[in-house]
Amino acid sequence: QSQLVESGGGVVQPGGSLRLACVAPGLNLEHGALGWFRQAPGKEREGLSCIRMRTGWTTYARSVEGRFTLSLNAARDTMYLQMNNLKPDDSAVYYCAAKAESFFRCSMDVSDMDYWGKGALVTVSL
């Protein structure tokens, strides 16, 4: 069930930057978590980053740490993924996902998430 909406995908050259945004209208995530995932053709969906809403605790996958940054706007109703120094291997459909309740940290496990967006395509190419 898609209740999140991603935006900001597109085509960028290697070394360039993009910022994705995600909104979750109608979802109460005060005690939950949000995350960014991606799926390249022929590959499994992988977790990139997540944030526990109550504490702001954030973590990143090794493949993107130092290049990607997850953030929330001041109203905490929009999540962003700033992607810098993009590489061709970063080309994929990017998804945001939400977990309704998160009691400890946050999860980047696909099977843990309760709600998904439909995805935004990011292509890194000359």
Side-chain angles (χ1 to χ4, degrees):
Q1 186 177 3
S2 296
Q3 292 186 251
L4 294 86
V5 181
E6 303 93 342
S7 61
V11 180
V12 63
Q13 292 186 352
S17 299
L18 275 177
R19 187 176 77 160
L20 303 178
C22 171
V23 294
L27 290 181
N28 182 350
L29 298 174
E30 180 182 357
H31 298 283
L34 285 166
W36 285 102
F37 298 76
R38 70 184 178 189
Q39 187 167 18
K43 295 187 177 180
E44 293 187 353
R45 192 169 299 188
E46 62 170 330
L48 304 177
S49 182
C50 66
I51 182 168
R52 185 173 178 238
M53 300 299 284
R54 192 165 181 83
T55 61
W57 190 87
T58 308
T59 190
Y60 296 89
R62 285 189 177 182
S63 58
V64 302
E65 191 167 18
R67 298 189 298 126
F68 291 11
T69 303
L70 184 156
S71 63
L72 299 174
N73 68 345
R76 298 168 62 84
D77 61 6
T78 303
M79 175 177 68
Y80 300 100
L81 185 68
Q82 177 67 43
M83 304 184 292
N84 298 328
N85 190 21
L86 283 161
K87 306 173 183 180
D89 284 350
D90 294 318
S91 297
V93 177
Y94 283 69
Y95 300 89
C96 63
K99 183 171 176 62
E101 292 186 336
S102 183
F103 298 106
F104 183 50
R105 293 181 176 176
C106 60
S107 173
M108 293 191 292
D109 189 330
V110 172
S111 63
D112 284 343
M113 310 311 285
D114 298 314
Y115 306 99
W116 290 87
K118 293 184 177 180
L121 179 63
V122 172
T123 302
V124 184
S125 177
L126 289 172

